[in-house]
Every structure is written in structure tokens, then in C-alpha cells.
């Protein structure tokens, strides 16, 4: 069964540095998402992406965040000038319509 | 705006006990409803979904859920749990456009052998 893959599985970064989290969605999917889960809290929607542009974003997704689909396969989340509170598990998801398939997540630790 | 409430944060059961996890949502329009499971150290996996039709939906691993529109509920059930069901369970809802999945806070289930 096709899967959403995310790299790296764990990223440790100094506060203030930029990070890029990478995702390879399922190949025939057209909708892409990023969610995050701060330890002990609920999974939160960050952003959805369709047709090479952001279709919806949450309040969390401020100017610090950006997404890109640089080629036909990757979908990236960039966090500029990371803060301690950005430490979380970040999940990428893709869908063909209404059913989301999630990746294993990237655990981001900000020191 | 959509919201999802899961009232049980932690549930501890013995093997073979029956399980019911509550989920209530608030949204005035047509919704799609989901239960996801997250086993320790793993990603979110879909247990079952409701889009339309029979409000009693059956998922993988013997789980089922019932959509009761009048109560805005989508409770998850399993008649007899196993130790391997130990995991965190998330209820989620999206509107018919399907663009933004809103999750509940999750219920951590521990099944004692």
C-alpha cells in the first residue's frame, strides 16, 4: 500500500535556526497537509495545499512558516527562526479527496 | 468553526472488556467523521470513517462507530478489547469540502493483560 514518507524522523535544532521538514506524498494525491502535535496536546491543523498554492491555513501558520512543492514529488514545511514552542511532532498528510493518509511524522526538538 | 470533544482522556480496561469512547462534534453542516489510532511510536492510522449512508460503520480490528446526528456524536466501540489495542484514539471531523481535519484531544487507552 502506498505511504506518505517523511524525513528526517527526528530533527534537533538550535533556537533561531531555520528547519525544513520534508514529505513525499502518495504519488497520485492532489491535496497536501501539515499538522502538528505538541507533546501531550491534540493534533492541530497547520496548512493545506492544492494546485500549487495554500488553500487553507490556521492561526498557527504565521509568517514564520512556509510550504513549498519544489518538484513533482516533495512537499516541504519550512520554519524560519525556530522558537522553543515549535518543538512538536509534525505530520504530513496527503489525500485524493476526503481521506487523509498520514506519514510517520518528524519529531522536531528545539534547544 | 468545527470543534471535536473527547471526554475520556484516559481509559484503563482489562482484556475482553467492552470499550466505548465518546466523541462529540460541533458543526452545523454536513460532516465527515473519522477515528484514527496512534500506536506507541507510530503514525496516525485510520480506523474507520463515515461519509454518508448507514450510520453504523465498521472499521478494522473489530472496531465500529455509530453516527447519531441528533446528538452530534460518533462514539467508537469494540465489544472485546485486546492488549494490542493499547494506543491513543483520535476522533476527527471535516466538512464536506474536506479541506481541514479537526481532531479531538485524544483518548489514551491502556488494556491490561
Amino acid at each position: 500500500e502506498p505511504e506518505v514518507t517523511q524525513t528526517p524522523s527526528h530533527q534537533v535544532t538550535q533556537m533561531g535556526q531555520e528547519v525544513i521538514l520534508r514529505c513525499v506524498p502518495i504519488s497520485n494525491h492532489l491535496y497536501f497537509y501539515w499538522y502538528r502535535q505538541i507533546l501531550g496536546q491534540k493534533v492541530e491543523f497547520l496548512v493545506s495545499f492544492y494546485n500549487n498554492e495554500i488553500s487553507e491555513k490556521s492561526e498557527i501558520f504565521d509568517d514564520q512558516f512556509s510550504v513549498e512543492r519544489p518538484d513533482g514529488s516533495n512537499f516541504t514545511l519550512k520554519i524560519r527562526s525556530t522558537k522553543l514552542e515549535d518543538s512538536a511532532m509534525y505530520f504530513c498528510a496527503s489525500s485524493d479527496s476526503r481521506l487523509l493518509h498520514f506519514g510517520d511524522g518528524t519529531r522536531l526538538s528545539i534547544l | 468553526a468545527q470543534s471535536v470533544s473527547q471526554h475520556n482522556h484516559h481509559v484503563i480496561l482489562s482484556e475482553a472488556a467492552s470499550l466505548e469512547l465518546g466523541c462529540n462534534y460541533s458543526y452545523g453542516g454536513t460532516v465527515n467523521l473519522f477515528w484514527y489510532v496512534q500506536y506507541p511510536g507510530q503514525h496516525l492510522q485510520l480506523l474507520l470513517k463515515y461519509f454518508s449512508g448507514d450510520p453504523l460503520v465498521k472499521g478494522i480490528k473489530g472496531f465500529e462507530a455509530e453516527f447519531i446526528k441528533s446528538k452530534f456524536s460518533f462514539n467508537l466501540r469494540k465489544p472485546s478489547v485486546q492488549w494490542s489495542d493499547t494506543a491513543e484514539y483520535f476522533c476527527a471531523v471535516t466538512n464536506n469540502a474536506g479541506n481541514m481535519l479537526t481532531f479531538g484531544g485524544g483518548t489514551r487507552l491502556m488494556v491490561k493483560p
Side-chain angles (χ1 to χ4, degrees):
Chain A
E1 186 180 323
E3 292 181 343
V4 175
T5 56
Q6 289 185 243
T7 55
S9 56
H10 192 190
Q11 174 81 44
V12 181
T13 302
Q14 291 287 335
M15 187 172 60
Q17 297 296 305
E18 174 183 285
V19 294
I20 298 176
L21 309 183
R22 291 183 166 80
C23 170
V24 179
I26 294 173
S27 61
N28 62 341
H29 284 183
L30 301 177
Y31 301 86
F32 314 111
Y33 309 83
W34 283 101
Y35 287 79
R36 79 171 185 191
Q37 185 180 26
I38 295 171
L39 188 64
Q41 299 185 24
K42 63 171 65 177
V43 179
E44 301 172 292
F45 169 78
L46 290 178
V47 65
S48 60
F49 192 86
Y50 171 72
N51 203 25
N52 286 320
E53 61 182 22
I54 292 173
S55 49
E56 202 161 351
K57 61 182 181 179
S58 71
E59 292 174 351
I60 303 167
F61 195 88
D62 59 21
D63 292 342
Q64 183 195 8
F65 294 88
S66 62
V67 289
E68 198 176 33
R69 190 157 160 80
D71 52 43
S73 59
N74 289 286
F75 179 53
T76 61
L77 174 69
K78 182 189 290 186
I79 310 175
R80 287 180 280 274
S81 189
T82 49
K83 298 176 280 197
L84 292 175
E85 53 265 38
D86 294 327
S87 294
M89 194 77 166
Y90 288 80
F91 293 102
C92 174
S94 69
S95 79
D96 52 1
S97 58
R98 292 178 290 178
L99 193 55
L100 272 66
H101 297 257
F102 285 88
D104 283 346
T106 293
R107 182 170 300 281
L108 177 62
S109 300
I110 306 299
L111 305 179
Chain B
Q2 302 163 171
S3 68
V4 181
S5 298
Q6 292 180 243
H7 306 295
N8 313 104
H9 299 295
H10 288 93
V11 174
I12 301 173
L13 294 173
S14 298
E15 274 195 313
S18 65
L19 170 73
E20 181 160 2
L21 302 183
C23 172
N24 288 93
Y25 67 92
S26 66
Y27 180 69
T30 303
V31 292
N32 302 313
L33 297 153
F34 307 82
W35 275 97
Y36 283 86
V37 60
Q38 189 175 29
Y39 297 104
Q42 296 187 28
H43 63 278
L44 290 160
Q45 299 175 38
L46 182 69
L47 266 183
L48 47 79
K49 62 187 183 294
Y50 173 80
F51 291 158
S52 63
D54 188 345
L56 183 62
V57 292
K58 295 193 184 296
I60 60 172
K61 305 185 182 186
F63 286 91
E64 65 178 33
E66 185 174 12
F67 170 51
I68 303 179
K69 190 174 180 180
S70 61
K71 294 185 179 180
F72 297 89
S73 69
F74 190 57
N75 292 355
L76 180 72
R77 299 193 292 250
K78 185 170 183 177
S80 176
V81 294
Q82 301 171 308
W83 175 79
S84 57
D85 293 324
T86 294
E88 189 155 16
Y89 293 81
F90 294 92
C91 181
V93 62
T94 186
N95 59 27
N96 230 16
N99 218 17
M100 187 178 83
L101 200 61
T102 300
F103 284 86
T107 297
R108 197 176 293 275
L109 172 66
M110 179 183 292
V111 180
K112 298 184 294 184

